[in-house]
C-alpha cells in the first residue's frame, strides 16, 4: 500500500510538471509564432503535401524510429546513473510537455481544429503505448538514481526493502524493468512505423 501511494504521488508530480511544460509550450509558440512557425516548415502545407505523396519504406522508417526512441530511453537511463539523474528526470518531463504544447499550438495556428485532429491521428496508435511508458520510464529513472546514490532513503521512500534485499538486488530489478520498458518501446516503434503512416496518409488525402 505504501509503495502504491508513493508511486501514484510521483506520477502525479511528473504529470504536473509535464502539464506545466505543455502550457509553457503553448505560450511560447503563441508569442513566438513568427520565428518558430511562420519562418519554418513545421506543419506547413508544403510539408503535408510532401508527406501526402511520399513513398515510405517501412523497414527503413522502423530502424530510424527505433534508433530515436530507444536512443532517448538509453540516454535517460545513462543519466540516471549519475548525480544528475533526478534533475534529468524532471527536466525531461518538462521538455516533453513543452514540445507537446508547441506542437499542438502550431497545429491550431496552422489549421484550427483540424490541426488537433491531425495531431491525434499522428500519435495513434503508438501514443497509447508511449504515454504510459514515458511515465513509467521517468519514474524508473528517478528511482534508479535513488537506488545508486540514496539507497538508505528507499526504505522510507518509494521502495520497501526487505531483510534479504540489497543494493545489488535492487539494481538488478531496475535493470530488468528497463529491459521490459525497452521491449514495450520497440512494440510502439513497430506501430509508429508500419501502422501510423497508413493512417496519416489516409487522413492527408481528405485533409
Amino acid at each position: 500500500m505504501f509503495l502504491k501511494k508513493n508511486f501514484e504521488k510521483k506520477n502525479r508530480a511528473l504529470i504536473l510538471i509535464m502539464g506545466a511544460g505543455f502550457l509553457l509550450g503553448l505560450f511560447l509558440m503563441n508569442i513566438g509564432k513568427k520565428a518558430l512557425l511562420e519562418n519554418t516548415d513545421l506543419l506547413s502545407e508544403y510539408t503535408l503535401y510532401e508527406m501526402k505523396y511520399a513513398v515510405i519504406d517501412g523497414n527503413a522508417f522502423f530502424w530510424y524510429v527505433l534508433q530515436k526512441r530507444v536512443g532517448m530511453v538509453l540516454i535517460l537511463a545513462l543519466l540516471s546513473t549519475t548525480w544528475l539523474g533526478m534533475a534529468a528526470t524532471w527536466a525531461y518531463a518538462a521538455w516533453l510537455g513543452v514540445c507537446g504544447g508547441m506542437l499542438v499550438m502550431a497545429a491550431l495556428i496552422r489549421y484550427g481544429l483540424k490541426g488537433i485532429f491531425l495531431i491525434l491521428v499522428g500519435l495513434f496508435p503508438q501514443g497509447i503505448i508511449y504515454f504510459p511508458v514515458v511515465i513509467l520510464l521517468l519514474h524508473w529513472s528517478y528511482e534508479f538514481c535513488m537506488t545508486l546514490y540514496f539507497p538508505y532513503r528507499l526504505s522510507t521512500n518509494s521502495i520497501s526493502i526487505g531483510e534479504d534485499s540489497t543494493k545489488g538486488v535492487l539494481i538488478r530489478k531496475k535493470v530488468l524493468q528497463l529491459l521490459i520498458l525497452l521491449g514495450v518501446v520497440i512494440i510502439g516503434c513497430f506501430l509508429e512505423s508500419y501502422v501510423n503512416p497508413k493512417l496519416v496518409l489516409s487522413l492527408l488525402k481528405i485533409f
Side-chain angles (χ1 to χ4, degrees):
M1 181 65 68
F2 180 76
L3 174 60
K4 181 179 179 180
K5 288 182 178 179
N6 278 272
F7 180 81
E8 292 176 349
K9 183 178 180 180
K10 285 192 179 67
N11 281 354
R12 285 196 295 269
L14 289 168
I15 292 174
L16 181 62
I17 290 175
M18 292 177 69
F22 182 84
L23 294 176
L24 178 60
L26 294 175
F27 176 74
L28 291 175
M29 180 58 74
N30 192 48
I31 64 172
K33 58 185 177 182
K34 184 172 183 179
L36 298 173
L37 189 61
E38 294 178 6
N39 297 327
T40 70
D41 289 328
L42 178 62
L43 296 180
S44 67
E45 292 184 3
Y46 176 75
T47 299
L48 296 188
Y49 179 84
E50 284 193 324
M51 292 174 59
K52 182 177 180 179
Y53 295 101
V55 178
I56 300 176
D57 184 335
N59 293 330
F61 188 46
F62 172 76
W63 287 110
Y64 171 79
V65 170
L66 186 68
Q67 291 176 17
K68 293 291 185 180
R69 306 294 178 248
V70 172
M72 182 53 70
V73 172
L74 295 179
I75 289 174
L76 186 60
L78 182 61
L79 287 173
S80 71
T81 66
T82 72
W83 284 92
L84 297 174
M86 285 184 283
T89 300
W90 302 121
Y92 184 55
W95 179 78
L96 287 174
V98 170
C99 291
M102 294 181 72
L103 185 62
V104 168
M105 181 56 72
L108 273 172
I109 294 173
R110 294 278 198 194
Y111 306 107
L113 292 179
K114 287 199 309 181
I116 299 300
F117 189 61
L118 176 63
I119 295 298
L120 291 176
V121 173
L123 293 175
F124 186 82
Q126 71 275 9
I128 298 174
I129 289 179
Y130 286 155
F131 184 74
V133 166
V134 164
I135 299 299
L136 290 172
L137 177 62
L138 291 170
H139 184 86
W140 177 93
S141 175
Y142 180 91
E143 285 199 341
F144 191 55
C145 185
M146 290 283 291
T147 300
L148 293 177
Y149 296 103
F150 309 102
Y152 58 89
R153 294 176 57 184
L154 295 178
S155 59
T156 57
N157 199 332
S158 57
I159 298 177
S160 181
I161 302 177
E163 294 180 358
D164 58 347
S165 294
T166 64
K167 184 177 179 179
V169 171
L170 290 173
I171 291 175
R172 286 194 291 273
K173 286 182 178 179
K174 301 307 289 183
V175 171
L176 178 59
Q177 290 171 2
L178 178 62
L179 293 176
I180 293 173
L181 286 175
L182 282 171
V184 179
V185 168
I186 292 174
I187 295 174
C189 291
F190 180 86
L191 295 175
E192 185 177 0
S193 304
Y194 294 103
V195 179
N196 177 257
K198 296 179 181 179
L199 298 177
V200 173
L201 290 177
S202 297
L203 173 64
L204 291 178
K205 291 178 180 179
I206 59 174
F207 192 72

